[in-house]
Amino acid sequence: MAKSKHQFVVFILSFGRPDNIKTLNTLKKFKFNGDYRIVCSDDDPKIEEYIKKYNDKVCIFNKEEVQKKFDVGDNQEDKRTVIFARNACWEIANQIGYKYFIQLDDDYSSFNYRVNSEGRYNTSQTKIKDINIFFEMLLNFLIKSKADTVCMAQAGDFVGGESCSVFKKGLARKAMNSFVCSVEKQFQFMGRINEDVNTYVNLGNKGRLFFTCCEFALTQELTQTNSGGMSDTYLDQGTYVKSFYSVMYNPSSVKVGLMGAKNKRLHHKINWNKAVPKILHQKYQKK
């Protein structure tokens, strides 16, 4: 980032799509001028194409080595999931000399404001003008809040518009998709599938802080519609298996239920009253 006071790098997690890294093109459209790396595994059949096209911007890790440090939650052999890349990022950041990083998937098409200058819901989805300043804002919030990670909301979080729960909260106790992290506050994602939900509920239950800033949102390809990445795994396993990983890790606060108005599908449901410790108002503090 231009004149950033922090050591910060963007990690774009990618698999099998060297010619279709939409996030990188989107970042350039949004005036990104900082450093970035494309994080790939050495079992990617197109790894040579990545190297040929992006040279030293490609960071390669080994899934077998990464798996030794976290719990996949099953005895499957399928490694076509993003959790290995997510957990590799702290070591990669250390190796290339960065203290802070943000993890992005490779299929983003836009970054938008979802709240206008008056604090009302922004129906026009105004585009963020300078992504460098925006990343700096997220990083400052991570540092000042002492959170473990901070994320942007996703377009799907705002179904229902101004009446949706995410907009009303402003700051949600969850973290998905775009993780701003520090190498000094490392945590391990858990579970082969649905790793983000598994992690923010399980570690949130232990007092770790995972936040989504609901004033901003990223837009990406719908799951199972973009070839490569994790689409094949989702098609093979289905949403029931995906969601049930979170039940397995957090049986006291997560269940599987139907989601949607007309075309219903199985999805995880979190009971937040049982999921995370609550922050009491300071008026209850004992002097």
Side-chain angles (χ1 to χ4, degrees), residues 193 224 232-243 266:
I193 309 176
Q224 302 181 20
D232 294 338
T233 302
Y234 287 140
L235 288 170
D236 289 346
Q237 300 283 356
T239 57
Y240 177 80
V241 174
K242 172 180 178 288
S243 298
L266 289 167

Side-chain angles (χ1 to χ4, degrees), residues 55-99:
N55 302 307
D56 59 352
K57 291 296 185 182
V58 180
C59 290
I60 303 172
F61 69 93
N62 178 268
K63 289 181 178 178
E64 299 293 340
E65 289 300 313
V66 174
Q67 186 172 335
K68 295 176 182 178
K69 301 177 182 179
F70 74 96
D71 175 29
V72 293
D74 59 33
N75 57 5
Q76 306 288 323
E77 296 298 326
D78 189 354
K79 290 184 172 59
R80 296 173 299 168
T81 65
V82 73
I83 189 171
F84 301 96
R86 293 214 187 284
N87 283 335
C89 284
W90 278 272
E91 180 62 28
I92 293 172
N94 265 321
Q95 290 175 354
I96 62 177
Y98 280 97
K99 183 176 180 180

